[in-house]
Amino acid sequence: MAKIYDLQNVKRVYESRTVVDIDTLEIEDGEILAIVGPSGAGKSTLLRLLNFLEYADSGLIRYKGQEVNAQLPLDFRRQVTTVFQRPALLQGSVEENVVYGLRLRGKKNGKGEVLEVITRMGLEKLRRARARTLSGGEAQRVALARAVVVRPAVLLLDEPTANLDPYNISLIEEVVREINRVQKTTIVLVTHNVFQAKRMAHRIALMLSGKIVELSRTQDFFDHPRDPRTRAFANGEMIY
Amino acid sequence: MQQLLDGILEGLRLLFTGDAVLWEIIYLSGRISGIALVISAVLGIPFGAFLGLARFRGRRLVQAIVYTGMGLPPVVVGLAVYLLLSRSGILGHLNWSWIPQLFTVPAMIVAQVIIATPLVVGYTMAAVSEVNPDLRIQVRSLGATPLQITLAVLCEARLGIIVALVGGLGSIISEVGAVMMVGGNIEGSTRVLTTAIMLETRRGNLDLAIGLGMVLLLLAFLINFGVTQLQGKGN
């Protein structure tokens, strides 16, 4: 598989604290990569770098061969989107939220796609409901629908199912796997949940203190971990 | 008490019999304050949004200046505009055609714009600041340009912005100091509701003054009722 992201010696520093310090990381086009690790490991910051929401203080990030910086063309920026842990929905209906990304791109004939995605997410009965009145699980499904409808090349998921009930977790995981399989969308999933990573990912990276400790195929991550910290994390032990 | 009742009845009579003088005053008040509000909105909403969203050195100083502007006494604004536009003033002596002359409608509009703009800026800034910051990141992540992000935030803050406009309108349609000073209360030319109330009270025409006061109150009520309706829909 071709690589879609290439990170070399990337550092991100907040007020003299290095939160991301990655020597090398390649993300393959069309894969599901899970990034696991404890809170404060730098996982969410890494996602923001991958979504071009902020930039590395040093090192190089390439997306599809293009150097990532403030001059990255809008066409490239719009190929990547994130679903955050806490969905921030716009005022208005579920449908208005889902169509929003298409409107930003000037697409006026996306009604069919919007309805299809809303139905796929089990939101058809809530189509006209005010988005701000939804439960946590429903709101997260709207956020995922809003991200998926623009058919991104890369979908970044930042703890998308944290604090959700089993039904919503199952539905969201199913949809994510489906768009990866059908649309070949590259998925980068940040999660605390090592079992979710095992269910979803082709490869898993363990992040600690801003560094990638180990990156391997999912089976190897659990069956043949190279680093003792990976073994400890896979076994559910706390690592800080 | 009787005088008050007579005044109210007289006010209603003038209003509903289409008294030409009264309606001319109402029309002129609405025109001046309406134009001033539109100009204040054009200047104040983008600047308020900028102050609410951007982070830059000196932002707090600018905010303090805006907050000071929100409490500007209209009579001081009137004095400043008077000094600027009078024949011997900084702008008045230039005698350029586009600079408004004293005791004209454009001079009154200038004064009202100076009063209303800081209010529109301040309330817009507050409304925009209250929008969930996660929403800006989310919208950006969905591919919004900086302009689209700003529009999304303004859209989210729309009720606060409506309140900003109403606050601005309320402050200028009911002020008397500035319009009296730069407008001069000339009948048929620069006489507005507030200056007319003052004049009629001085003349002893309390019935008419109360009638004009009722119109002013009615206008304020209608505007505020409209806003509460909008807020109800927004919630």
Side-chain angles (χ1 to χ4, degrees):
Chain A
M1 267 195 281
K3 59 189 175 190
I4 195 162
Y5 282 102
D6 183 9
L7 284 74
Q8 300 295 333
N9 304 314
V10 170
K11 277 194 182 179
R12 182 74 177 118
V13 181
Y14 292 153
E15 293 174 357
S16 79
R17 194 170 71 92
T18 304
V19 287
V20 170
D21 184 4
I22 294 175
D23 295 335
T24 178
L25 172 63
E26 291 180 358
I27 300 174
E28 293 167 2
D29 196 5
E31 75 167 332
I32 299 180
L33 172 68
I35 299 171
V36 296
S39 297
K43 307 184 299 289
S44 296
T45 306
L46 174 59
L47 280 200
R48 285 199 292 276
L49 292 170
L50 297 178
N51 198 178
F52 328 122
L53 297 173
E54 50 189 89
Y55 302 102
D57 294 295
S58 63
L60 181 67
I61 301 178
R62 285 186 185 280
Y63 170 72
K64 290 188 174 176
Q66 186 95 8
E67 185 176 342
V68 171
N69 53 35
Q71 280 72 49
L72 189 72
L74 188 61
D75 283 353
F76 279 84
R77 291 176 181 280
R78 287 184 166 170
Q79 292 176 16
V80 183
T81 189
T82 303
V83 174
F84 296 93
Q85 182 177 346
R86 283 179 302 172
L89 300 181
L90 299 157
Q91 287 181 39
S93 69
V94 165
E95 191 171 344
E96 284 163 347
N97 269 273
V98 176
V99 83
Y100 183 73
L102 294 175
R103 288 222 179 112
L104 289 178
R105 288 157 177 77
K107 290 184 184 171
K108 289 175 181 164
N109 302 321
K111 184 106 177 162
E113 294 160 76
V114 169
L115 289 179
E116 188 184 321
V117 172
I118 283 176
T119 306
R120 182 65 191 91
M121 297 303 303
L123 293 164
E124 60 273 30
K125 286 182 183 166
L126 297 168
R127 219 178 95 201
R128 296 188 196 287
R130 282 174 184 242
R132 297 259 171 98
T133 64
L134 303 178
S135 69
E138 290 163 347
Q140 191 61 291
R141 278 188 275 147
V142 174
L144 182 59
R146 184 172 61 180
V148 166
V149 80
V150 299
R151 292 186 168 252
V154 180
L155 178 62
L156 307 171
L157 303 168
D158 191 358
E159 300 279 6
T161 60
N163 308 318
L164 297 189
D165 60 89
Y167 168 75
N168 278 298
I169 292 174
S170 161
L171 183 60
I172 288 171
E173 286 185 0
E174 198 180 304
V175 170
V176 169
R177 270 194 293 261
E178 186 179 296
I179 62 161
N180 169 258
R181 194 177 62 247
V182 177
Q183 297 175 18
K184 309 296 179 202
T185 304
T186 304
I187 311 285
V188 181
L189 166 70
V190 159
T191 180
H192 277 105
N193 187 335
V194 73
F195 301 106
Q196 183 172 57
K198 194 174 187 177
R199 286 196 298 270
M200 301 277 295
H202 301 127
R203 293 195 303 159
I204 302 179
L206 173 65
M207 228 177 144
L208 289 177
S209 305
K211 292 179 181 293
I212 302 281
V213 170
E214 181 161 350
L215 169 61
S216 54
R217 303 211 68 79
T218 301
Q219 195 170 353
D220 295 335
F221 187 90
F222 288 97
D223 296 345
H224 310 290
R226 293 190 299 271
D227 193 291
R229 290 168 295 180
T230 309
R231 180 175 293 111
F233 193 85
N235 290 336
E237 295 169 24
M238 300 287 280
I239 304 173
Y240 290 103
Chain B
M1 188 64 190
Q2 186 58 43
Q3 196 170 42
L4 183 65
L5 283 173
D6 289 345
I8 291 170
L9 291 173
E10 175 65 7
L12 290 171
R13 189 189 67 75
L14 290 173
L15 202 56
F16 292 109
T17 55
D19 182 81
V21 176
L22 177 67
W23 278 100
E24 189 185 310
I25 292 171
I26 293 171
Y27 169 73
L28 190 62
S29 295
R31 190 162 73 95
I32 291 172
S33 296
I35 292 171
L37 185 68
V38 169
I39 296 170
S40 297
V42 170
L43 298 173
I45 292 174
F47 189 50
F50 172 74
L51 285 181
L53 295 174
R55 297 289 176 270
F56 58 91
R57 193 184 291 269
R59 178 171 173 263
R60 284 177 191 276
L61 176 68
V62 178
Q63 283 179 326
I65 293 169
V66 169
Y67 289 139
T68 307
M70 291 172 80
L72 271 182
V75 72
V76 174
V77 174
L79 177 64
V81 175
Y82 185 94
L83 292 173
L84 279 175
L85 301 183
S86 67
R87 290 264 176 220
S88 56
I90 298 169
L91 297 176
H93 85 279
L94 295 172
N95 218 13
W96 290 343
S97 59
W98 56 271
I99 295 175
Q101 292 187 340
L102 277 178
F103 311 122
T104 60
V105 165
M108 295 164 80
I109 291 172
V110 168
Q112 292 202 345
V113 167
I114 294 171
I115 295 167
T117 302
L119 289 163
V120 175
V121 172
Y123 287 132
T124 301
M125 182 173 68
V128 162
S129 300
E130 279 175 19
V131 172
N132 179 3
D134 290 347
L135 191 89
R136 286 162 61 187
I137 297 168
Q138 178 70 80
V139 166
R140 194 169 156 215
S141 162
L142 284 165
T145 60
L147 177 65
Q148 287 172 324
I149 295 169
T150 306
L151 290 175
V153 172
L154 285 175
C155 192
E156 290 296 300
R158 58 185 178 268
L159 286 177
I161 292 168
I162 291 169
V163 171
L165 295 177
V166 171
L169 181 61
S171 71
I172 54 181
I173 205 160
S174 60
E175 74 82 22
V176 64
V179 285
M180 180 63 101
M181 205 168 270
V182 303
N185 195 26
I186 302 165
E187 188 176 3
S189 172
T190 60
R191 182 165 297 167
V192 290
L193 279 166
T194 50
T195 56
I197 291 170
M198 214 166 111
L199 179 73
E200 298 304 334
T201 306
R202 279 183 183 161
R203 280 178 175 169
N205 294 334
L206 292 179
D207 295 354
L208 184 55
I210 292 170
L212 290 164
M214 280 177 50
V215 172
L216 202 52
L217 276 176
L218 186 66
L219 278 175
F221 172 76
L222 289 176
I223 292 165
N224 285 297
F225 183 70
V227 171
T228 51
Q229 290 295 104
L230 281 171
Q231 281 176 327
K233 281 183 185 172
N235 295 324

